[in-house]
Amino acid sequence: MDTDGTSLRVLTRRDVEAIDITLTDVLDSVAQAIRPLADGTSSNPAKLSVSSPDDSSVSYAMLGRDGARQVVAVRASYRHDPHHDRAELRHYTTLTLYDDAAGLPLALMDCGRIGSLRTPAVSALLARECAAPKARTALLIGTGTTARMALPLLVTALPDLDRLLLFGTHPAGISAVREELAAHFPDREAEVVGDLRAAAGEADVLIGTAGPATPAAVEAAWLRPGALSVLVGYGLAPSTLHRADRVIATSAEQMARTGGDLADSRGVLRPVDAELADVLSGRTAGRVRPDERVFAYNSGLVVADIALGHRFALLARAQDLGTEIPLWS
């Protein structure tokens, strides 16, 4: 990407939303970024966070390096939610990219769309690598922002899925999830379910993306042999972790930091058997037996943001989107 080091390409939310990218491109970009974590070529340190004394706001920063692309980036997030009211929530995220080969800045962009893609993309990769060979039914729990692209990316990764179940409590969210699926796969439909236990017992792949107030809590005893449970937010009870035959995490370190609500009565988490990077690089298998129950913990990986951000920056230049700001001239 051409730059003289005095300017920075700024991509607004509208610019990022206008970029045309395929779901296959999204999955490939994220997989290419995660794979080098296995040999240390990429780096994904733990995030830093601060909050106000009354917990009305929380901010965090994630710094990382994508070794495949030789790109360094910082993702910053600020969330203001003093009344725990969706209508009043303020949430801003940005991503700043640097070319680590040329030693030059690349772009500064709104990170909203990237965040809405990278998390479900990682879930889809976990499903592709860890689902049972004959998986046909998937259950999505939750209808928030993270859930909107979950089914389109999941179907892209596992095209043999022929039944898609959806459990949610917000009518607008349910409509949004179904509309997003229809936009990408007009021939597919998400079947809304009310009996969570029955739906969980039928699912080969379960993805928990619900918010902390959800009434959903799928128990391990409800799962069929060979089921894969992917936890992004909430919707899966701790038993799905502790009674799993195999546990995969995007980052064991991050799971230890952020998975406290999954701890048992002694405050102990079930150990992680492998990380996604090791699975993607072929160092270990996502699952060992078709009938084993696998639990996967999907925590944020900034290298996924970097990969998508870099891809978006390249596409933005090709599509003549964004504004060059002479920041250092």
Side-chain angles (χ1 to χ4, degrees), residues 17-273:
E17 290 291 341
I19 293 171
D20 186 22
I21 187 170
T22 68
L23 298 186
T24 299
D25 196 349
V26 170
L27 289 177
D28 289 346
S29 296
V30 173
Q32 289 166 8
I34 294 175
R35 198 175 291 116
L37 287 171
D39 61 14
T41 307
S42 291
S43 181
N44 196 93
K47 66 184 178 183
L48 298 174
S49 64
V50 294
S51 59
S52 59
D54 61 357
D55 290 326
S56 62
S57 69
V58 62
S59 308
Y60 64 85
M62 301 169 72
L63 170 68
R65 184 179 188 276
D66 181 341
R69 295 168 181 78
Q70 296 189 68
V71 173
V72 172
V74 179
R75 175 183 174 175
S77 175
Y78 172 75
R79 184 185 182 98
H80 188 257
D81 188 18
H83 307 297
H84 304 290
D85 183 342
R86 288 190 177 190
E88 298 182 19
L89 171 65
R90 299 291 181 266
H91 189 198
Y92 306 96
T93 61
T94 58
L95 184 70
T96 309
L97 301 163
Y98 300 90
D99 184 333
D100 201 30
L104 294 170
L106 291 175
L108 167 66
M109 65 187 69
D110 175 76
C111 201
R113 186 183 178 198
I114 292 168
S116 70
L117 285 170
R118 66 96 142 122
T119 301
V122 172
S123 293
L125 290 172
L126 285 163
R128 189 184 73 186
E129 301 297 327
C130 303
K134 296 182 179 180
R136 293 294 182 271
T137 300
L139 168 62
L140 176 64
I141 304 166
T143 60
T145 301
T146 306
R148 305 291 162 84
M149 287 301 299
L151 292 179
L153 283 161
L154 183 61
V155 171
T156 302
L158 293 176
D160 288 338
L161 290 172
D162 55 25
R163 192 178 180 203
L164 305 173
L165 309 179
L166 174 63
F167 178 86
T169 57
H170 298 282
I174 291 172
S175 296
V177 169
R178 300 184 80 190
E179 289 169 6
E180 196 69 59
L181 176 63
H184 293 276
F185 293 95
D187 59 330
R188 300 294 187 103
E189 184 175 353
E191 177 186 339
V192 179
V193 298
D195 188 335
L196 182 60
R197 180 167 187 162
E202 297 174 1
D204 300 299
V205 178
L206 301 90
I207 302 180
T209 70
T214 183
V218 171
E219 295 287 350
W222 303 357
L223 302 177
R224 65 190 308 174
L228 165 67
S229 303
V230 181
L231 184 62
V232 180
Y234 298 85
L236 304 177
S239 62
T240 57
L241 164 66
H242 293 282
R243 294 178 59 182
D245 298 301
R246 187 166 176 78
V247 175
I248 309 295
T250 49
S251 167
E253 179 185 9
Q254 287 189 9
M255 181 172 168
R257 285 172 174 263
T258 63
D261 56 332
L262 295 171
D264 63 16
S265 58
R266 300 169 297 161
V268 177
L269 285 174
R270 159 80 156 77
V272 172
D273 295 300

Side-chain angles (χ1 to χ4, degrees), residues 107 193 275 287:
V193 298
E275 293 187 333
R287 71 166 49 239

